[in-house]
Amino acid sequence: MPSHISLDRLHDIIQIVMGWKDYHLHEFEIKNIRYTENPETPKYGKEESNFILGNLIKTKNTSFTYLYDFGDDWMHTVTIEDTAFVKDSRFPIYCFEGARACPPEDVGGIYGYKDFCKTISDKSCPEHQDIKKWYASLPWNKEKFDSEGFDPEVVTVELMKYVRWSRPRAQLCYYV
């Protein structure tokens, strides 16, 4: 991703990569400063949309955290592996690689996801049908869950849709 991305846009990208739908609160912590969406007071952090990633992170191999869903506590460590991102106007953001499926929303954190994967893959488990039914009831799930499934090209297509719909637009005025 380009270094000129704002933190609120970085949040959107993480949501796409994880397959989540942005139902929960989140925050970034960079150099002991919290950044979040619409903080109630300065005590709760700074407004993330006002900060550009490249202005906060200047050197490669710098890490920071992203926390999503304060109940499930999905804590991510984000590491900037390189700061020499080559801008390609056709593909400003894309997924190089990845492994395994991301957890569904509201699955219950790390331990809930572990139980979910075990239960949904074991047809003899008494809760198998209930978990399968719950997963199928989520409106964005069209197929059965595959814990090993991940396709970087599918993620890149979703990122390209995001880039297309979130681009700046000219303000046009029409007079009738």
Side-chain angles (χ1 to χ4, degrees):
M1 75 191 106
S3 63
H4 63 272
I5 193 167
S6 61
L7 292 181
D8 62 324
R9 297 297 175 118
L10 178 57
H11 161 71
D12 294 339
I13 289 169
I14 293 170
Q15 290 291 299
I16 290 167
V17 171
M18 293 301 293
W20 290 334
K21 305 301 175 194
D22 198 11
Y23 290 148
H24 302 285
L25 297 173
H26 67 279
E27 73 178 20
F28 293 94
E29 187 172 318
I30 303 172
K31 299 177 185 172
N32 296 318
I33 298 172
R34 295 169 59 198
Y35 302 87
T36 190
E37 181 180 41
N38 301 320
E40 293 179 16
T41 68
K43 170 184 168 184
Y44 293 108
K46 296 184 177 196
E47 171 56 54
E48 66 188 8
S49 64
N50 295 332
F51 294 89
I52 303 298
L53 182 62
N55 293 341
L56 299 171
I57 307 291
K58 303 256 186 223
T59 57
K60 64 182 179 176
N61 298 318
T62 300
S63 296
F64 58 92
T65 60
Y66 168 79
L67 174 63
Y68 178 67
D69 187 348
F70 298 164
D72 283 359
D73 288 328
W74 292 109
M75 178 66 75
H76 302 259
T77 299
V78 180
T79 302
I80 305 301
E81 293 180 349
D82 197 347
T83 56
F85 181 81
V86 177
K87 187 173 182 179
D88 181 336
S89 61
R90 296 173 301 141
F91 303 110
I93 301 171
Y94 52 94
C95 180
F96 291 106
E97 62 184 345
R100 302 199 71 213
C102 295
E105 292 265 4
D106 299 322
V107 77
I110 293 171
Y111 301 108
Y113 182 53
K114 184 177 178 181
D115 290 343
F116 169 80
C117 288
K118 180 180 172 188
T119 303
I120 204 161
S121 65
D122 182 2
K123 292 181 181 180
S124 68
C125 181
E127 292 89 23
H128 173 78
Q129 286 302 323
D130 290 338
I131 288 291
K132 188 176 168 183
K133 186 176 178 182
W134 170 78
Y135 182 75
S137 74
L138 301 173
W140 50 87
N141 296 331
K142 295 180 175 74
E143 299 175 15
K144 71 178 193 167
F145 184 78
D146 175 12
S147 65
E148 297 301 317
F150 182 83
D151 186 343
E153 290 180 14
V154 170
V155 172
T156 297
V157 166
E158 293 304 312
L159 290 169
M160 292 303 99
K161 290 178 192 174
Y162 172 74
V163 167
R164 172 86 174 131
W165 287 105
S166 65
R167 73 190 188 283
R169 292 172 175 80
Q171 296 294 320
L172 300 175
C173 296
Y174 294 99
Y175 296 98
V176 182

mmCIF file of all heavy atoms in Angstrom, residues 166-175:
data_model
loop_
_atom_site.group_PDB
_atom_site.id
_atom_site.type_symbol
_atom_site.label_atom_id
_atom_site.label_comp_id
_atom_site.label_asym_id
_atom_site.label_seq_id
_atom_site.Cartn_x
_atom_site.Cartn_y
_atom_site.Cartn_z
ATOM 1 N N SER A 166 -13.261 4.450 -3.501
ATOM 2 C CA SER A 166 -12.823 5.414 -2.486
ATOM 3 C C SER A 166 -11.930 6.504 -3.059
ATOM 4 O O SER A 166 -11.427 7.329 -2.321
ATOM 5 C CB SER A 166 -12.087 4.690 -1.354
ATOM 6 O OG SER A 166 -10.888 4.117 -1.840
ATOM 7 N N ARG A 167 -11.758 6.521 -4.372
ATOM 8 C CA ARG A 167 -10.889 7.524 -4.988
ATOM 9 C C ARG A 167 -11.491 8.926 -4.855
ATOM 10 O O ARG A 167 -12.710 9.074 -4.768
ATOM 11 C CB ARG A 167 -10.651 7.187 -6.456
ATOM 12 C CG ARG A 167 -11.859 7.439 -7.335
ATOM 13 C CD ARG A 167 -11.668 6.875 -8.734
ATOM 14 N NE ARG A 167 -12.720 7.267 -9.634
ATOM 15 C CZ ARG A 167 -13.948 6.755 -9.670
ATOM 16 N NH1 ARG A 167 -14.275 5.814 -8.816
ATOM 17 N NH2 ARG A 167 -14.831 7.161 -10.540
ATOM 18 N N PRO A 168 -10.650 9.934 -4.869
ATOM 19 C CA PRO A 168 -11.172 11.307 -4.855
ATOM 20 C C PRO A 168 -11.966 11.571 -6.136
ATOM 21 O O PRO A 168 -11.631 11.075 -7.204
ATOM 22 C CB PRO A 168 -9.910 12.178 -4.822
ATOM 23 C CG PRO A 168 -8.807 11.270 -4.419
ATOM 24 C CD PRO A 168 -9.209 9.889 -4.830
ATOM 25 N N ARG A 169 -13.001 12.344 -6.018
ATOM 26 C CA ARG A 169 -13.836 12.654 -7.169
ATOM 27 C C ARG A 169 -13.932 14.172 -7.328
ATOM 28 O O ARG A 169 -13.934 14.905 -6.347
ATOM 29 C CB ARG A 169 -15.228 12.068 -6.982
ATOM 30 C CG ARG A 169 -15.222 10.558 -7.033
ATOM 31 C CD ARG A 169 -16.589 10.010 -6.652
ATOM 32 N NE ARG A 169 -16.661 8.585 -6.803
ATOM 33 C CZ ARG A 169 -16.198 7.716 -5.928
ATOM 34 N NH1 ARG A 169 -15.620 8.129 -4.836
ATOM 35 N NH2 ARG A 169 -16.316 6.426 -6.138
ATOM 36 N N ALA A 170 -14.028 14.595 -8.558
ATOM 37 C CA ALA A 170 -14.199 16.020 -8.830
ATOM 38 C C ALA A 170 -15.603 16.432 -8.412
ATOM 39 O O ALA A 170 -16.556 15.671 -8.562
ATOM 40 C CB ALA A 170 -13.994 16.296 -10.324
ATOM 41 N N GLN A 171 -15.705 17.612 -7.883
ATOM 42 C CA GLN A 171 -17.016 18.161 -7.517
ATOM 43 C C GLN A 171 -17.580 18.869 -8.750
ATOM 44 O O GLN A 171 -17.024 19.854 -9.220
ATOM 45 C CB GLN A 171 -16.888 19.147 -6.367
ATOM 46 C CG GLN A 171 -16.401 18.508 -5.091
ATOM 47 C CD GLN A 171 -17.410 17.524 -4.535
ATOM 48 O OE1 GLN A 171 -18.604 17.782 -4.566
ATOM 49 N NE2 GLN A 171 -16.935 16.401 -4.046
ATOM 50 N N LEU A 172 -18.631 18.348 -9.285
ATOM 51 C CA LEU A 172 -19.250 18.925 -10.469
ATOM 52 C C LEU A 172 -20.528 19.657 -10.095
ATOM 53 O O LEU A 172 -21.288 19.201 -9.244
ATOM 54 C CB LEU A 172 -19.578 17.836 -11.489
ATOM 55 C CG LEU A 172 -18.381 17.019 -11.991
ATOM 56 C CD1 LEU A 172 -18.892 15.907 -12.899
ATOM 57 C CD2 LEU A 172 -17.396 17.902 -12.716
ATOM 58 N N CYS A 173 -20.744 20.765 -10.728
ATOM 59 C CA CYS A 173 -21.980 21.521 -10.503
ATOM 60 C C CYS A 173 -22.730 21.601 -11.823
ATOM 61 O O CYS A 173 -22.162 21.978 -12.842
ATOM 62 C CB CYS A 173 -21.668 22.940 -10.022
ATOM 63 S SG CYS A 173 -20.854 22.965 -8.412
ATOM 64 N N TYR A 174 -23.945 21.236 -11.781
ATOM 65 C CA TYR A 174 -24.788 21.328 -12.965
ATOM 66 C C TYR A 174 -25.872 22.359 -12.718
ATOM 67 O O TYR A 174 -26.468 22.402 -11.650
ATOM 68 C CB TYR A 174 -25.456 19.974 -13.276
ATOM 69 C CG TYR A 174 -24.467 18.914 -13.679
ATOM 70 C CD1 TYR A 174 -24.020 17.971 -12.765
ATOM 71 C CD2 TYR A 174 -23.980 18.877 -14.965
ATOM 72 C CE1 TYR A 174 -23.109 17.007 -13.124
ATOM 73 C CE2 TYR A 174 -23.077 17.905 -15.358
ATOM 74 C CZ TYR A 174 -22.639 16.975 -14.434
ATOM 75 O OH TYR A 174 -21.739 16.015 -14.820
ATOM 76 N N TYR A 175 -26.074 23.205 -13.705
ATOM 77 C CA TYR A 175 -27.125 24.199 -13.597
ATOM 78 C C TYR A 175 -28.265 23.792 -14.500
ATOM 79 O O TYR A 175 -28.072 23.446 -15.648
ATOM 80 C CB TYR A 175 -26.579 25.575 -14.011
ATOM 81 C CG TYR A 175 -25.505 26.051 -13.081
ATOM 82 C CD1 TYR A 175 -24.175 25.874 -13.415
ATOM 83 C CD2 TYR A 175 -25.826 26.648 -11.871
ATOM 84 C CE1 TYR A 175 -23.171 26.294 -12.561
ATOM 85 C CE2 TYR A 175 -24.834 27.071 -11.009
ATOM 86 C CZ TYR A 175 -23.503 26.885 -11.370
ATOM 87 O OH TYR A 175 -22.531 27.303 -10.519
#
